[in-house]
Amino acid sequence: MHVVERKSMSKYRKEVKESLDDKFLRKSLDKFFTDYRANRERIFTDFDEKGVIDKIAISKDAAMSRLEELYLQFKEEAEKRGVTVHRADTAEDANAIVADIAKKNNVKRIAKSKSMTTEETQLNTYLIDRGYDVIETDLGEWIIQLRGEGPSHMVMPAIHLSRDQIAKDFTKETGIEQDNDIQRLVKVARARLRKEFIAADMGISGANVAVAENGSIATLTNEGNARLVTTLPKIHVAFTGLDKLIPTLEEALTSMLILPRNATAQLLTSYVSWICGATNSEITEDKKRQVHIIFVDNGRSKVALDPVFSEVMRCVRCGACANVCPVYRLVGGHKMGYIYIGAVGLILTYLYHGHDNAKILAQNCINCEACRTVCAAGIDLPKLIREVRLRLVKEYGSSVDRKLMKMVMGDRKMFHRLLKFASYAQLPITAGTKFQRHLPLMLFPSHNFRALPAIASKSFRDQWSKVKPKVSAKPKANIAIFAGCAQDFMYPEQLIAALKIFESKGVNVSFPEDQGCCALPLEMVGERETVKSVARRNMDSFVDGNYDAIVTLCASCGSFLKNVYQEIFHDEPEYAEKATNFSSKIQDFSSFMRNTLGITADDFNKSDEKVTYHAACHECRGLEVTEEPRELISFVADYVPAAEEDTCCGFGGTYSVKFADISGSIVNRKLDNFEATGATRLVMDCPGCVIQLKGGAKKRKMTMNVGHIAELLAENMK
Amino acid sequence: MVGEKTKTDLVALFCEKAEVVSAKIYEADDMKAAASYIAKVVLEKDPCELLAEEAGTEKGPLSKNGVPTRLDRHIALSGLPVAKAKVIEKECADQGIKIIYDGVRNYLAGFDASVAEAQFGIADSATCFVVSDDENMRLSTMMCEISFLFLDKKNIRKDLLEVASDLRTIQKKGPAYTAFITGPSRTADIERVLAIGAHGPLELHVILF
Ligand code: SF4
Ligand code: SF4
């Protein structure tokens, strides 16, 4: 199998571009993306999704904390039942154990059912190099084996291929012209692989779970090939990771409630094969089947003890974190993983396949959080991806642009002075329009899928004394504004619109001027120390006011302040407490309006303007606010929902500059969806998304008015 | 009676979910009815494809997939309790269908059907819980084109977790191979288009008693 090493950014960008230009891939992944979401929703109706996922998370965490104990228990139980249990520290060791078993038993042909762990260790290559015939019997795996490729999805390894390509490969393999009828192609494989099952003298399977209480393993397949490779040949080798160990049958069965649902929207796969001990065989001398189970460590026992990464050991390899990922949708698995794919692939590449290979890949995440909300094991994948970046920075140091960013953004005064300077400097370039080329942070190269906003001639902080709302004697609420860079320096008008509403509703507003950037952009490039110093200053600047709420109009800032500050200060007692307080007060604009102020339709004049909505990632997933903004829009206008409202717009701050091709493709599809609604206006809760969508619309010369939801509401106040 | 009602509900749920996974349901009044249903299905099906060379087996005309077919019809009854097997054997003898008990390895190119017993059903997903310790039985349920599984309605449970203790008890008895079978073998590995009959049976019939 051919594995592409990923050590140069420019090469990687080129690879990504190839995927973007692959028409079949784009069409097929697009369809998959939308089908998957619909099917997933259907299969989880009337099912306690969250309850079961939490259960799995808790039991897996507990299992990983006593991995050694479980391993020993499993080994004892399985060996009592006639199975040989092996443990391999490294990928190489694991492969060698298989080769050794093969050699001792005079094996020539090996039939395999699906196992991601054997992909991880590159077992096939190892065995083939040593003269064994190895054949994959899972249809998808066989197809990519014929092509010498790796899987492009953990569950559907050949999803990147069309029936035409496969027909060609089958023609070559069978020497008979094959047409592209899918049902026929499956029958061709059925006939071809039947011979392989029969000829094999060793069967290799994976294991989805390994149950310590009685040393049993189970494999899930739809084709039934695992039932065959564990029955026909005289030797069965199960090859799996230590992370598959689980204490009891109940816990194993619980994970089976989620795995097929989340993987392929099935209630259960066609076959679940439970193997507990060595059963009979007609073709061995002692009438007993020879069964081996190999547990691969390859870093797992270390990961299990890692305070942050241990969570990833819960993964059941359902593939869902790729299915919902906007980046995967565009570039496919070969470009979004090394061997493991999708969100979890970015993390596992770092953990199992070398930091060198992860360095570039780990950058290819927009932090949209879609993966987190569907993970079968409740893993906070975006958090772990950030952790990978953080550790890479610790290991490799900052890149030059990051160093500059860290220096500038770590010093609020310097950052603000620079932005002010930029607002003068850009005048000739923008020629009075609101768009210019080299923003937001002037620190990155240009790109051309969207026009960028100018820095406001006067920042919000500079206008504050003038726009500050009147103080109410009997205020409805006492709040502070957290402005965030995008609104403070690019779109102060969005904040000013909100102030207008707040004033009319009798809200007392403060603006602690020592606040700065929320530090999300720094976190995204792994600069944790600078993040902390920026965060400390932010919290300190709000600490004295006795605010009912700290309101932000930026969903990205909001979600970062609310969810991540606590996480990063958990081991710093003084700031841990401050962070808890601070985070508990953070509220996004739309929920503050609806839930705290109790704003209703009566507060507005309703127009017949057709308005559509973009659900910012950090609003709908980060802060889990979904109803309120849509209600607010319908109070003032004719709300027309768009397709995929809650799919990421592709901004992700510096992501949009680093991976401009991907970001540009994403925003264009979003804009197609908005255009299709016939709406004349598009609103959202996040100025970052405004940068992206307004800039993209401008570039496409769309006439749609794109802005913040606060502006729409302020315009229609009674 | 509440218990009775719940049972009927579970059977109804099992049948409803069976449709989702393309499993066919036949409710049999008795073993005789089941046997004649099985014989009828086997006689009406296309001749079995021979997917591999088999020493001494004569090849019949090519199937629609261009594969040679087996001349006689065969049903494997490996592992089925003798009393039940006898009823089927008798029915088949009248119709000229041959029976395979053991030595399934001599028929790996494929045969028409197999009949086996499921110990439990799982209504939520129309799953059959099938003790598969015996190698011949495991092979017969996979190498056939149509798999028939007997299931006693009394043994239908609600969900996976409800069979945990049964599974544990069965695995306690000694080396155990246990399968949950849900519909026929399938794949969607080419363009995500569903195709039934990947490596195992092309059809699964659950016969309820
Ligand atoms: S956060 Fe979004 S972009 Fe990043 S891996 Fe998850 S789904 Fe993909
Ligand atoms: S990380 Fe979660 S969603 Fe991704 S494959 Fe693993 S279990 Fe599935």
Side-chain angles (χ1 to χ4, degrees), chain A residues 24 31-32 35 55 81 137-141 143 155-159 161-164 166 182-187 189-191 193-195 197-198 213-214 216 222-228 230-232 248-250 253-254 256-257 266-283 288-289, chain B residues 17 20-21 49 51-53 64-67 102-105 107-110 122 124-125 127 130 132-139 141-145 159-161 163-165 167-168 171-172 174-202:
Chain A
F24 173 78
K31 185 160 174 331
F32 175 47
D35 288 354
K55 244 193 195 163
R81 294 164 172 82
T137 61
D138 171 84
L139 177 58
E141 292 283 345
I143 293 168
V155 178
M156 287 155 290
I159 194 174
L161 296 170
S162 72
R163 61 189 82 186
D164 299 326
I166 294 166
I182 290 177
Q183 303 298 329
R184 280 274 310 130
L185 289 170
V186 171
K187 295 294 174 285
R190 178 182 167 92
L193 290 170
R194 179 67 61 95
K195 299 175 183 67
F197 284 119
I198 297 172
E213 69 165 283
N214 62 7
S216 60
N222 274 318
E223 299 177 10
N225 53 329
R227 189 166 163 90
L228 286 174
T230 58
T231 301
L232 270 170
T248 65
L249 288 170
E250 279 77 5
L253 289 165
T254 304
M256 288 179 198
L257 289 175
Q266 283 178 284
L267 295 166
L268 198 60
T269 52
S270 300
Y271 294 90
V272 179
S273 305
W274 286 93
I275 295 169
C276 183
T279 49
N280 67 334
S281 171
E282 288 198 335
I283 50 170
K288 276 279 160 213
R289 175 171 303 281
Chain B
K17 296 296 178 185
V20 178
V21 298
E49 293 183 334
L51 300 175
E53 291 297 325
K64 62 175 188 296
N65 292 319
V67 178
D102 299 317
V104 180
R105 281 185 189 270
Y107 299 89
L108 295 178
I122 298 162
D124 260 2
S125 48
T127 298
V130 185
S132 312
D133 300 347
D134 180 61
E135 190 181 89
N136 272 306
M137 179 270 184
R138 231 150 56 224
L139 290 175
T141 53
M142 288 306 287
M143 296 307 181
C144 62
E145 290 191 341
D159 59 30
L160 274 178
L161 287 173
V163 297
S165 60
L167 180 60
R168 180 174 288 118
Q171 290 178 331
K172 224 173 232 153
Y177 195 120
T178 321
F180 300 164
I181 299 177
T182 309
S185 153
R186 68 188 59 219
T187 183
D189 273 351
I190 305 182
E191 293 193 15
R192 293 193 307 116
V193 174
L194 177 66
I196 301 281
H199 297 302
L202 311 170

Side-chain angles (χ1 to χ4, degrees), chain A residues 79 88 121 125 164 175 183 250 274 276 339 432 452 483 495 546 587 613 615 647 653:
Chain A
E79 293 192 335
T121 67
T125 314
D164 299 326
Q183 303 298 329
E250 279 77 5
W274 286 93
C276 183
I339 282 167
L452 278 170
L495 286 166
N546 189 19
Q587 240 188 321
Y613 178 64
T647 305

Side-chain angles (χ1 to χ4, degrees), chain A residues 321 324-327 336 343 346 365-371 382 385:
Chain A
C321 56
V324 299
C325 173
V327 177
M336 202 198 179
L346 303 189
C365 159
I366 321 179
N367 192 36
C368 77
E369 307 223 344
C371 50
I385 294 169

Side-chain angles (χ1 to χ4, degrees), chain A residues 76-103:
Chain A
E76 192 187 329
E77 292 297 328
E79 293 192 335
K80 251 197 253 170
R81 294 164 172 82
V83 171
T84 315
V85 178
H86 311 254
R87 177 169 175 162
D89 284 341
T90 64
E92 168 87 20
D93 290 354
N95 295 344
I97 294 173
V98 181
D100 191 48
I101 300 169
K103 196 167 165 207

